[in-house]
Amino acid sequence: MRKKIVAGNWKMNKQMEEGLKLTFAIKEANKNLPEELEVVLAPPFIHLYAMEELLKNQPNFFLGAQNCHEEENGAYTGEVSAGMLASIGVDYVIIGHSERRKYCHETDAAVANKLQRAIDNDLNPILCVGEHLEIRNENKHFQYVQQQIENTLFSFTADQMQDLVIAYEPVWAIGTGHNATPDQAEEMHQHIRQTLQDHYSKSFANNLTIIYGGSCKPSNASDLFQQPDIDGGLIGGASLSADDFSAIIQSF
Ligand code: PGA
């Protein structure tokens, strides 16, 4: 069975104490989760070390970073490497989020380099893809997302991509309150799975966890997660509230 993932992307929110309180509240509200369900918390970098302590021995809980640098180390002031993340027990790293593509001008080539760093350091990458509204309006969204996948993934082997997770996040749905409908999300998830099946294999595609992100909240999570190709969610705004995030976790 494919693993299910609900990941909270806190973005640039929560002071340290607030972050630790939120972590504790989420942990307390989500005991005895099914084995195949993973909850990933992706706070700002500086929270990771302290949160690792709090989440120790919590079988369903994993730590994620929101980014890593594309080089292993060196003179890159202000940056954090995949190796550093791995050294403090981080499990997942979000790569290629649309906000980083937009504000930090991350290209597909940089995203591919970051994937390489994640693989080198045994971090599970959560690769974000998704189209802008104009592209959907021109009916080119399938082609666009497929191209993002080809540009970033296809230089890797299936073996290297064993721990990959893909997050489909239509840019027009992120932080807007307007989620993709379950049908819109499902057809893109199917398309992504088919693209990977064509390039790698059917078993690779069938085992790949593909999660949806973009205004996912307690009121729509269950309809989204019931779709056959939607294996969970990457949650922004709603992951900042223990009640909302827990309701989403419990929507399966
Ligand atoms: P949102 O963000 O849930 O606030 O729309 C999702 C994301 O950016 O990962």
Side-chain angles (χ1 to χ4, degrees):
M1 198 200 254
R2 281 201 291 271
K3 70 181 169 189
K4 311 270 185 209
I5 295 178
V6 177
N9 173 11
W10 294 5
K11 309 191 180 183
M12 196 173 72
N13 292 295
K14 302 290 177 192
Q15 308 290 330
M16 178 65 90
E17 199 181 324
E18 296 168 333
L20 295 180
K21 274 193 189 144
L22 178 59
T23 305
F24 188 76
I26 292 168
K27 187 174 89 169
E28 287 302 297
N30 294 283
K31 298 198 183 263
N32 305 318
L33 295 174
E35 201 183 318
E36 73 279 5
L37 175 57
E38 296 192 359
V39 177
V40 179
L41 300 183
F45 284 133
I46 62 153
H47 297 45
L48 287 166
Y49 190 65
M51 280 171 59
E52 218 274 319
E53 271 298 304
L54 267 185
L55 296 177
K56 238 180 214 158
N57 307 321
Q58 300 291 318
N60 298 90
F61 283 85
F62 295 85
L63 258 189
Q66 297 173 18
N67 178 40
C68 66
H69 195 260
E70 61 178 300
E71 299 293 341
E72 188 56 57
N73 49 47
Y76 301 101
T77 302
E79 296 291 344
V80 173
S81 74
M84 293 169 191
L85 298 171
S87 75
I88 60 162
V90 170
D91 309 289
Y92 283 89
V93 58
I94 299 171
I95 294 180
H97 190 280
S98 62
E99 285 153 14
R100 294 204 57 86
R101 293 181 193 252
K102 177 177 175 192
Y103 299 118
C104 307
H105 314 291
E106 267 182 26
T107 59
D108 281 345
V111 169
N113 289 339
K114 289 176 185 218
L115 284 167
Q116 181 70 60
R117 296 286 90 77
I119 296 163
D120 292 346
N121 290 284
D122 291 326
L123 293 173
N124 301 347
I126 301 178
L127 169 67
C128 300
V129 294
E131 80 286 355
H132 296 265
L133 189 58
E134 312 81 74
I135 290 165
R136 178 165 281 264
N137 288 341
E138 289 168 15
N139 206 25
K140 292 191 176 140
H141 44 295
F142 292 117
Q143 196 186 323
Y144 182 87
V145 168
Q146 183 168 338
Q147 191 69 56
Q148 283 183 316
I149 288 177
E150 288 175 10
N151 293 348
T152 53
L153 286 185
F154 280 11
S155 58
F156 298 103
T157 63
D159 260 8
Q160 289 177 300
M161 288 289 120
Q162 276 318 310
D163 297 322
L164 174 74
V165 174
I166 292 185
Y168 169 55
E169 298 206 301
V171 179
W172 47 271
I174 296 178
T176 58
H178 303 296
N179 59 290
T181 64
D183 286 348
Q184 286 173 321
E186 169 62 16
E187 61 177 4
M188 183 60 85
H189 283 226
Q190 268 178 22
H191 182 70
I192 293 170
R193 214 179 286 290
Q194 187 64 48
T195 301
L196 291 159
Q197 175 172 325
D198 294 345
H199 184 75
Y200 293 108
S201 67
K202 192 169 176 127
S203 71
F204 179 88
N206 278 343
N207 287 329
L208 178 74
T209 296
I210 308 178
I211 58 180
Y212 167 80
S215 299
C216 185
K217 41 190 181 250
S219 59
N220 59 29
S222 144
D223 285 346
L224 286 160
F225 297 172
Q226 269 169 32
Q227 301 298 313
D229 288 284
I230 301 183
D231 306 313
L234 179 54
I235 320 298
S239 73
L240 300 173
S241 144
D243 287 348
D244 286 353
F245 192 56
S246 303
I248 294 172
I249 293 169
Q250 289 159 24
S251 304
F252 279 105

